[in-house]
Amino acid sequence: MAIKMLRRIAEEVLGPGKAASIWARIDVVGDIAVIKNPLTGGLTLEDLRMVAEELLRRMPYIKSVWLAETPVTGAYKLRRFRHLAGEDRSTTLYKEHGCTFKVDIRKVFVTPRLNYEHIRIARLVKPGEVVVNMFAGAGLFSIIIACKSRPARVYSIDINRDAYELMKHNISLNRLEGIVVPIHGDAARVIEEDLTGVADRVLMPLPDLALDYMGYALKALRGRGMIHVYLHVKANRGEDPVRIGWMEVKGRGLPLRMVYGRIVRRVGPRMYQVVLDLEAMRDG
Ligand SMILES: C[S@@+](CC[C@H](N)C(=O)[O-])C[C@H]1O[C@@H](n2cnc3c(N)ncnc32)[C@H](O)[C@@H]1O
């Protein structure tokens, strides 16, 4: 519904040609719309401002529109933003699967495009499980798991202090104190020092560190357990991105078996984000 509306608005304002390079790049997070556009396809800032004004007019629940000027970069996976129209504010309340999250698009990575993954993983968690989320951001996976399933505990780690503060806020907003445990720090260090051999399930939603930190995910498990790892893989036409991802993991020679895998989304020309659900074969 919203996607159709975004497309219609972009086409009406810019014409079908220019609109093609923009409408699928608009995300709505709470009451903020983000246009992810490195000003390609002949688009100017003025074009984007016109689209932004029209979004505000036609979709009244949108209060603020921002241009993401860069892709996500750096360890914290943040973008550089420029305000385009509406209220000059980058914090919002974002709802997913009945949970509410305070986010600041300039301070923490957040995307509605992981929506399905959040609930898919939550539904796999069995009552009483201990989960370690190595790269938790504002706590979306962790909190949705705690809301939808009945884990004993979800240790929720992030290295970005702002993400950690927002995660703490979101844990109390959703009344999950004592279930979701926020931890500020580097996931590798935290696991080495405090979370070795505690988990039934580990989440690794950060493709940049996925392969290098796989050994730490195994360390966090208490014997057999599941690891959900997100990877970026390059695949040419006719190649299966999931298989390519699994071959990369397999090449590390770790005691893992792939139970399931899927393409989460396309992230560039011939580049895909995939998730692999891996079973650790080691007995603890
Ligand atoms: C892609 S975001 C996570 C998104 C989040 N899981 C969600 O569903 O919204 C990756 C996060 O990993 C964090 N991060 C980066 N390096 C880290 C490290 N070494 N240890 C822990 N967290 C790290 C970043 O600060 C960022 O918030």
Side-chain angles (χ1 to χ4, degrees):
M1 270 295 280
I3 300 224
K4 273 191 188 157
M5 179 64 125
L6 294 171
R7 180 177 189 165
R8 195 177 315 143
I9 291 171
E11 287 182 347
E12 283 175 21
V13 174
L14 302 174
K18 275 188 175 180
S21 59
I22 186 181
W23 66 266
R25 294 174 150 272
I26 305 174
D27 280 344
V28 179
V29 180
D31 62 1
I32 294 180
V34 173
I35 305 179
K36 294 179 295 183
N37 187 39
L39 292 176
T40 53
L43 286 168
T44 63
L45 199 54
E46 206 33 55
D47 288 332
L48 298 181
R49 284 199 201 285
M50 285 193 310
V51 172
E53 292 295 348
E54 198 59 12
L55 289 175
L56 291 173
R57 207 176 65 77
R58 301 263 288 275
M59 301 173 84
Y61 57 91
I62 295 178
K63 302 289 183 216
S64 177
V65 186
W66 291 77
L67 167 65
E69 294 182 303
T70 63
V72 287
T73 50
Y76 299 172
K77 309 310 291 171
L78 300 177
R79 299 173 185 273
R80 195 179 69 229
F81 285 96
R82 179 196 287 252
H83 181 248
L84 285 176
E87 293 174 25
D88 188 359
R89 117 177 107 72
S90 56
T91 54
T92 186
L93 285 180
Y94 171 56
K95 291 194 181 177
E96 247 194 47
H97 306 297
C99 307
T100 305
F101 303 91
K102 182 178 174 187
V103 294
D104 183 331
I105 58 165
R106 288 194 290 183
K107 293 187 175 165
V108 66
F109 174 95
V110 61
T111 174
R113 296 179 192 229
L114 287 175
N115 182 311
Y116 174 69
E117 271 306 299
H118 291 149
I119 194 71
R120 187 184 76 83
I121 301 293
R123 286 185 180 137
L124 294 173
V125 173
K126 296 179 199 75
E129 276 191 14
V130 174
V131 179
V132 169
N133 183 356
M134 291 174 70
F135 311 114
L140 276 79
F141 271 111
S142 307
I143 286 169
I144 293 169
I145 287 171
C147 281
K148 297 294 166 191
S149 305
R150 274 183 288 131
R153 195 130 309 164
V154 184
Y155 294 105
S156 200
I157 310 165
D158 206 284
I159 200 167
N160 170 0
R161 162 78 57 187
D162 291 321
Y164 165 78
E165 294 297 340
L166 286 162
M167 178 169 35
K168 268 201 324 194
H169 182 91
N170 291 331
I171 290 166
S172 41
L173 197 61
N174 292 280
R175 299 175 195 280
L176 291 167
E177 293 98 334
I179 303 292
V180 180
V181 180
I183 303 171
H184 176 233
D186 167 40
R189 249 185 105 166
V190 171
I191 289 171
E192 287 273 20
E193 288 173 8
D194 297 315
L195 296 180
T196 297
V198 301
D200 302 293
R201 190 177 298 274
V202 177
L203 274 54
M204 305 184 75
L206 176 59
D208 303 12
L209 289 182
L211 293 173
D212 289 347
Y213 274 39
M214 193 75 77
Y216 297 103
L218 271 166
K219 231 178 188 176
L221 288 176
R222 52 176 167 205
R224 283 177 183 259
M226 292 299 297
I227 298 176
H228 304 281
V229 63
Y230 294 79
L231 299 166
H232 284 167
V233 299
K234 189 169 181 172
N236 292 315
R237 191 191 293 259
E239 291 181 325
D240 175 7
V242 170
R243 195 184 130 73
I244 294 173
W246 169 233
M247 286 302 135
E248 282 181 22
V249 173
K250 211 174 162 194
R252 301 270 159 151
L254 297 167
L256 293 164
R257 177 176 82 87
M258 187 172 90
V259 174
Y260 176 75
R262 64 181 286 269
I263 298 173
V264 177
R265 55 192 173 137
R266 213 171 73 97
V267 290
R270 297 198 299 277
M271 286 295 294
Y272 299 86
Q273 183 177 101
V274 300
V275 57
L276 308 180
D277 296 352
L278 306 172
E279 186 186 19
M281 305 299 290
R282 203 184 48 179
D283 286 317

